[in-house]
Amino acid sequence: MKRIAIAIDHLAGGGAERVMLTLAQEFVAIGHEVHFLVMKDNADFIVPESIKVHTCFVGNHAKLLRRLRLGSAVRHLKACIDNIESNVGDFDLFISNLDLTNYLMVHAKVRSLCVVVHASVEEELRRHARMGPLAYFKKLRAKKALNGQRLVAVSKGIAQEIITKKRLHPASLQTIYNPFEFEAIQTLAQAEPSELPKEDYLIHIGRFVKQKRHDVLFAAIAKMQQPIKVVLFCHKPDKAKALAREFNVENRVIIKGFEINPFPWIKNAKALVLSSDFEGFGMVLVEALICNTPVVSTDCPHGPKEILTGALSHFLVPRREPSLLAQKFDEVIVSPPDMNNIEILSRVKANEIAKQYLELCD
């Protein structure tokens, strides 16, 4: 039995959080003990009682994060981990996720640490450079903390970027795909939400942030020939609705907030669509394929081209091309691809991914 700590900013409704919750549940299922070390006390996901959750910064200590007093925050986190280990025993593996947590965990100098890289380093730095020098410096500082660390990239594209750009110099680097619990997804997909549209629709799932390019999505919807609607799940529905009005497509979209179980919506859609400028892997693409739902995606760095291989690659579209995206939206509705023998599905099963992580234990 291994004792594993998964460190992460919080358990709000993001992709990295879902990945780690799936991984944690699989670790428990095969007989290991899992603890979440969350920096901030906010959560959308329900964590099973079999997984312990420790909030590291609460009360007055939470101010250390808000004021970015990183030196004091590192010392507090180290003391917090020492206290947890004195009660439950030493951890055999620490798995760290997201920039703030990665910075703190690296500087806390915990043993047997691996850091998961969930997104393109170069694309994130490029985006923050446009936000100004201070934003860029903070992001660069977070990324430079990964030097000398054992890194796990969630796609081959991210790993190759790290190797070729040579911005980071890890102690080791390997690719481990995100884990998926097929039976759980397929069971959840059988639910019948009362709000599920009766007519045909496409679906898009993604936070309302620049990276997801809702502007490109709405521009593509405006150019479609097929008159079906597009359902969107995002964390800022009011802002998404305002942008939809700007593109004059508010009558073509159904915009909803965070959904704990999006799988019935995915299963019943004609296709899932993704319009991002960049991804780390593209979890929602795999989830759609597990639900036997076709996918149209931008060929963005990184992930989609590793997921949509063979005949599915026909529905990869260059980034920032709403006209081409609209054409594929129309095409997938009337002529969907063969959904049999999808290669990626044999490589992302949770049990196999958990075993790959366990090999990282010292």
Side-chain angles (χ1 to χ4, degrees):
M1 190 271 291
K2 300 295 185 182
R3 185 175 294 111
I4 301 163
I6 299 176
I8 197 163
D9 289 7
H10 46 65
L11 288 171
E17 294 87 345
R18 280 196 294 140
V19 168
M20 287 298 123
L21 187 55
T22 299
L23 184 61
Q25 290 172 302
E26 189 59 34
F27 283 146
V28 170
I30 58 180
H32 302 288
E33 179 181 330
V34 181
H35 297 251
F36 268 107
L37 309 179
V38 296
M39 305 301 113
K40 304 174 185 178
D41 186 20
N42 57 315
D44 291 315
F45 295 111
I46 298 171
V47 181
E49 292 184 1
S50 57
I51 299 170
K52 306 299 182 184
V53 179
H54 309 272
T55 304
C56 298
F57 293 87
V58 295
N60 289 331
H61 289 117
K63 297 176 183 177
L64 298 176
L65 300 182
R66 290 196 296 270
R67 297 173 182 172
L68 292 178
R69 295 175 59 183
L70 295 178
S72 298
V74 167
R75 289 191 292 273
H76 173 74
L77 177 60
K78 184 68 169 69
C80 182
I81 292 171
D82 288 345
N83 181 58
I84 294 168
E85 289 191 315
S86 70
N87 289 309
V88 305
D90 291 347
F91 291 111
D92 297 289
L93 177 67
F94 290 90
I95 303 173
S96 182
N97 305 265
L98 305 180
D99 286 336
L100 173 62
T101 299
N102 293 343
Y103 184 93
L104 297 174
M105 292 293 291
V106 166
H107 285 85
K109 294 182 168 58
V110 299
R111 71 198 169 283
S112 194
L113 174 68
C114 74
V115 179
V116 184
V117 185
H118 288 276
S120 165
V121 173
E122 299 302 318
E123 291 286 347
E124 285 196 321
L125 287 171
R126 194 171 294 119
R127 181 182 63 181
H128 279 74
R130 292 193 293 268
M131 296 166 61
L134 182 57
Y136 177 77
F137 169 76
K138 288 180 178 178
K139 182 62 68 172
L140 182 62
R141 178 179 60 183
K143 299 306 182 186
K144 289 294 187 181
L146 305 186
N147 285 330
Q149 301 300 312
R150 293 190 300 170
L151 302 187
V152 172
V154 300
S155 67
K156 293 179 180 177
I158 290 177
Q160 189 59 36
E161 174 190 283
I162 291 171
I163 292 168
T164 57
K165 294 298 182 180
K166 299 181 180 179
R167 186 186 298 275
L168 301 182
H169 304 282
S172 63
L173 173 64
Q174 68 184 94
T175 299
I176 302 179
Y177 283 145
N178 290 331
F180 296 85
E181 184 51 69
F182 286 41
E183 289 186 10
I185 290 173
Q186 290 164 348
T187 298
L188 288 168
Q190 299 306 311
E192 297 182 3
S194 59
E195 296 177 293
L196 200 68
K198 298 295 189 285
E199 69 273 17
D200 289 341
Y201 62 92
L202 302 176
I203 188 166
H204 178 278
I205 299 176
R207 293 170 300 130
F208 189 79
V209 293
K210 181 73 171 178
Q211 168 196 349
K212 301 297 182 179
R213 296 307 301 263
H214 286 80
D215 56 335
V216 172
L217 173 66
F218 292 150
I221 292 171
K223 296 175 181 292
M224 287 178 64
Q225 299 299 311
Q226 297 290 330
I228 74 173
K229 291 189 176 182
V230 181
V231 173
L232 284 83
F233 287 118
C234 61
H235 75 310
K236 295 179 180 178
D238 290 341
K239 290 188 175 182
K241 289 174 184 176
L243 185 62
R245 283 194 294 272
E246 290 183 26
F247 283 87
N248 199 31
V249 295
E250 67 269 29
N251 64 332
R252 295 286 307 279
V253 296
I254 301 170
I255 299 178
K256 310 185 88 51
F258 175 78
E259 172 57 53
I260 193 69
N261 180 17
F263 300 114
W265 299 78
I266 296 173
K267 177 179 180 292
N268 288 283
K270 295 293 288 183
L272 180 137
V273 300
L274 186 145
S275 50
S276 300
D277 262 356
F278 65 95
E279 291 286 340
F281 180 61
M283 282 183 59
V284 72
L285 303 181
V286 176
E287 290 169 340
L289 298 178
I290 292 171
C291 293
N292 205 41
T293 298
V295 169
V296 177
S297 174
T298 49
D299 187 10
C300 64
H302 301 283
K305 71 172 55 177
E306 297 175 44
I307 296 168
L308 302 180
T309 59
L312 300 183
S313 65
H314 178 70
F315 289 96
L316 284 170
V317 180
R319 293 188 295 176
R320 307 161 193 161
E321 293 284 354
S323 295
L324 295 178
L325 205 56
Q327 291 175 20
K328 293 300 181 184
F329 289 177
D330 286 325
E331 183 178 347
V332 77
I333 293 166
V334 298
S335 184
D338 181 359
M339 298 296 290
N340 294 310
N341 302 316
I342 297 173
E343 180 185 7
I344 190 66
L345 297 186
S346 66
R347 302 165 66 186
V348 294
K349 293 180 179 178
N351 184 267
E352 294 303 317
I353 299 303
K355 291 177 183 177
Q356 292 176 48
Y357 271 99
L358 289 170
E359 292 176 359
L360 298 173
C361 292
D362 288 341

